[in-house]
Amino acid sequence: MADLPLTTLTRVRRLPHHQRTDRAALYGVIDDALSATVAIVRDDRPVALPVGIGRDGDDLLIHGSTGSDFFRRIAAGAPVCVTVTHLLGLKYARSLFDSSMRYRCAVVHGMASVVPPEEKEAALLALSEHLMPGRSADVRPMTARELAATMVLRIPLAEASVKDNAGSLVEEDDDGEDRAVWAGTLPLRMVAGDPVTSAQTAAGTPVPASIGRAAARIAASGTA
């Protein structure tokens, strides 16, 4: 896999030693995430919305209603900026100025293309398998009406930056700070709770294995 190119949009200027240019790092940030923030400029104002995501090879997949003005503008060629962030911890330094966060993040720039009708169902299944692995086997197939009401967009992962400061230090030797003040890291991770069955589900219906797979996925990564 070719490294991510450094462009005027993707070059990290603040603490550049935390930038990663290998595509495996980009794929890792995306594959460990369930959602992202997609931003465009609409009528001269920035607009950003959270969306569910998935990856198909070297493309990011997002989906929404065909009636959404936001998605229609993206489909029509509005440049997009997609941000994915995993917050890993809070860094408690001996001053507020030096305190910060530990995280992995990716920022993707580009223009999206609409997945054609003949490829839409496969793309939606790829999204479903990422968000809810195995769930498609538990439920009925998608209807033609549902497919027609859904827009799926591909955003190429051609221009993207990755920043990973998970191993950054809380303090440096001989920084002159008072060592009697506590410093350290408060790790953060996402956990899945116990499944909550809907009130209208038939009594005695077992929780399917796909729910456990989703919980195990989150437990393994600690992020979403």
Side-chain angles (χ1 to χ4, degrees):
M1 294 183 292
D3 284 350
L4 298 168
L6 295 179
T7 69
T8 55
L9 289 175
T10 64
R11 186 182 299 275
V12 172
R13 293 171 174 78
R14 172 65 178 158
L15 303 178
H17 56 284
H18 292 312
Q19 181 164 18
R20 297 278 301 274
T21 58
D22 54 304
R23 288 192 176 273
L26 173 63
Y27 295 162
V29 171
I30 292 172
D31 293 348
D32 285 343
L34 299 180
S35 65
T37 300
V38 179
I40 64 172
V41 175
R42 181 172 65 184
D43 300 331
D44 298 322
R45 294 183 62 86
V47 180
L49 294 178
V51 298
I53 61 170
R55 182 174 65 88
D56 182 19
D58 206 30
D59 290 327
L60 183 71
L61 295 175
I62 62 174
H63 75 297
S65 169
T66 54
S68 164
D69 176 73
F70 185 81
F71 277 86
R72 284 180 175 178
R73 288 177 185 247
I74 295 174
V80 299
C81 178
V82 183
T83 304
V84 182
T85 303
H86 299 288
L87 184 57
L88 306 177
L90 297 175
K91 292 170 56 177
Y92 286 77
R94 293 186 173 86
S95 70
L96 294 180
F97 179 83
D98 292 321
S99 297
S100 62
M101 297 179 289
R102 280 185 172 161
Y103 59 87
R104 292 188 299 143
C105 70
V107 179
V108 180
H109 299 273
M111 296 175 66
S113 61
V114 178
V115 173
E118 65 272 16
E119 299 176 11
K120 188 186 295 187
E121 185 170 5
L124 285 170
L125 287 173
L127 268 166
S128 173
E129 279 303 302
H130 177 67
L131 298 172
M132 300 176 177
R135 183 59 173 167
S136 60
D138 301 334
V139 297
R140 62 165 175 77
M142 289 175 275
T143 67
R145 181 177 180 179
E146 290 168 343
L147 287 169
T150 306
M151 181 187 301
V152 187
L153 298 168
R154 289 184 179 272
I155 303 170
L157 297 173
E159 191 168 17
S161 62
V162 178
K163 195 172 182 181
D164 183 344
N165 77 344
S168 60
L169 299 176
V170 174
E171 59 193 348
E172 297 182 2
D173 294 338
D174 303 320
D175 59 10
E177 298 290 350
D178 182 1
R179 275 1 189 208
V181 176
W182 187 90
T185 303
L186 178 64
L188 301 174
R189 60 182 291 115
M190 177 174 283
V191 297
D194 294 331
V196 179
T197 302
S198 76
Q200 295 184 5
T201 299
T205 301
V207 176
S210 61
I211 308 301
R213 283 196 287 272
R217 174 188 181 279
I218 292 173
S221 68
T223 60

